[in-house]
């Protein structure tokens, strides 16, 4: 059974997505950091500007969580 979740990613003007380690960008959405808490999202937006000097836009995404199992 899968569950749909919502979150946000940070996207550069040129279409790349923000990641939290150098080089701070990826072209693949599935490698982007997904934020579910507003405070974390705003904090990361500031970090992206500090690390790269580029602004990033907040972009909403939906994703599915599949095969959830307890360990």
């Amino acid at each position: 059974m899968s569950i749909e979740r919502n979150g946000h990613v940070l996207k550069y003007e040129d279409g790349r997505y923000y990641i939290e380690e150098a080089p701070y960008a990826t072209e693949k959405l599935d490698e982007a950091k997904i934020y579910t808490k507003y405070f974390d999202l705003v904090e990361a937006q500031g970090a992206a500007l500090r690390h790269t000097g580029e602004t990033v836009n907040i972009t909403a995404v939906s994703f599915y969580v599949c095969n959830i199992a307890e360990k």
Side-chain angles (χ1 to χ4, degrees):
M1 180 174 171
S2 62
I3 301 170
E4 184 177 11
R5 297 286 187 221
N6 297 309
H8 294 85
V9 295
L10 296 174
K11 190 173 184 179
Y12 294 97
E13 293 291 327
D14 64 3
R16 297 174 297 143
Y17 299 95
Y18 176 72
I19 55 175
E20 293 184 336
E21 50 193 44
Y24 304 107
T26 181
E27 304 229 350
K28 299 177 183 176
L29 177 58
D30 63 342
E31 294 176 357
K33 171 76 176 176
I34 298 174
Y35 298 93
T36 56
K37 297 181 181 172
Y38 182 74
F39 178 79
D40 294 339
L41 180 63
V42 172
E43 191 175 74
Q45 196 173 27
L49 183 60
R50 281 192 310 278
H51 291 304
T52 65
E54 298 179 54
T55 58
V56 288
N57 298 310
I58 298 171
T59 304
V61 294
S62 293
F63 58 96
Y64 289 91
V65 178
C66 302
N67 302 325
I68 302 170
E70 253 184 72
K71 288 189 176 185

